[in-house]
Amino acid sequence: MGILSKKDAALILDPLADNNPITIQVLGICSALAITAELEASIVMAVSVLFVMGMGNVVISLMRNIIPSKIRIIVQLVVVATLVIVVDQVLKAFAYELSKTLSVFVGLIITNCIIMGRFEAFALANGPKRSFLDGIGNAAGYGFILVVIGFFRELLGSGTLLGIKVLGDPIEKTGLYAIGYENNGFMLLSPMALIVVGLIIWVQRSRNPALIEEN
Amino acid sequence: MLEHIELFFKSIFIDNMVFATFLGMCSYLAVSKKVTTAVGLGAAVIFVLAVTVPMNWLLDQYLLRDGALAWLGPEYADYNLSFLSFILFIATIATMVQLVEIVVEKFSPSLYNSLGIFLPLIAVNCAILGGSLFMQSRDIQTLGLAFNYGLSSGIGWFLAILAIAAIREKIRYSNVPAPLRGLGITFIITGLMAIGFMSFGGMLTGGDEAAPQEEVVAIAPTQEVSGLTADAAQQDLTQNENETVQEDSPATDNQINE
């Protein structure tokens, strides 16, 4: 972190832990839950959001002095939508199967509240460099939670990671399955994503009691 | 008529926006602390969804989808503008929300006061854009069905936020573990509610899963004609057999033991 001042480094590091967009700021939940049944989809989603947020924050920050405040929401939506179209087209060209799995959720990055929230709260008031760092930091905090959820759901749900069978073969009964381990198919169903996020929040807040809410 | 009724109940209960696809979770979590505000936001979502989904359906049919421009003349028939759908849908939604706000303020100040601050927020609610994108990807056939889809998805979202707001008002009196208070317990309750809503899955017998099976039974004698599907079906059968054999073997052992 030699190039970055302490204040700039905090922009990246804070959202990873104590100011996490998903578990503390409650932003961007929708996509976090729907696509995390597999680790690969979670990683792709995290990278897409990282790209859109970093670029979008810079663009909005450069335009912050010429956007009339009355129509800023529409301007922001157009900027995000353009970036998301780029991501969507790239995914369709180079990872078609994956873009089928993600289906409408790539498009829903547009209305991902993290992006609009950071535009409003940060990019409209700060210069491009700091906005870029803020965007990257928040997207990384978002992606981190996504990858954790995806990891547990794929590992416990289908016994694989990135499609590789890490726990042995469930049909031929090798590895862990030889001693009677079974996959928990429940983890693949969408409600479990909510419960896993709830548990992550529980762990995080018991480690840092300052984050506990009033009621 | 039947497909309208089916779509209506399917969108409310089976494909509920919150519990099945997690759309609009941000405002669902943020605005569900009190029942009265939850009702306001829910009503606004129903309203905006019922307006924007048919609007975007028209855009999709006559502007965006492959060959949609054919009505301009044969030389336009090859155009496929569907890559523009995100930007056009979100622009429609943002302008419609603005327009709806102005019209409601003019003609019904009391409704405007009750919806109030929620209307502008809705432009960035994932449920609204999600409604339009699902409308596109599920190939909704007619304008009437699109309206029905928007309205019933909105009602489903309304029910969900009403339910969680009521639960959160009551749970204030419960002794929740300190780190789970607020956000954590809300997530877990929503998860449990979503598991409950999964039980609606078998409600419509004429749904996607049940229909093909009936057809297969009816067409069974002529199955040899369509080679591809027959092969696929055989593969499925053999796979099933393998699995059933493996599952059966311990069972039969048990029976022998008994």
Side-chain angles (χ1 to χ4, degrees), chain A residues 47-67:
Chain A
V47 173
S48 312
V49 171
L50 194 80
F51 169 78
V52 174
M53 271 209 76
M55 298 294 288
N57 254 2
V58 170
V59 172
I60 291 292
S61 164
L62 287 173
M63 298 200 305
R64 69 186 185 279
N65 294 325
I66 53 169
I67 302 176

Side-chain angles (χ1 to χ4, degrees), chain B residues 148-239:
Chain B
N148 183 341
Y149 179 70
L151 183 73
S152 47
S153 318
I155 294 175
W157 201 90
F158 176 85
L159 283 180
I161 195 169
L162 190 62
I164 194 73
I167 292 177
R168 282 181 84 171
E169 278 197 359
K170 289 285 172 201
I171 210 152
R172 206 170 299 157
Y173 306 109
S174 314
N175 189 11
V176 179
L180 267 181
R181 276 179 205 156
L183 191 59
I185 196 73
T186 313
F187 266 110
I188 290 178
I189 293 171
T190 311
L192 295 175
M193 283 162 81
I195 294 172
F197 263 69
M198 281 171 64
S199 58
F200 286 116
M203 191 171 72
L204 295 174
T205 46
D208 302 336
E209 284 89 13
Q213 284 178 351
E214 286 165 20
E215 280 170 20
V216 166
V217 172
I219 309 170
T222 59
Q223 220 178 26
E224 291 163 4
V225 182
S226 55
L228 258 177
T229 50
D231 280 353
Q234 273 184 348
Q235 280 180 352
D236 278 357
L237 274 179
T238 46
Q239 278 178 356

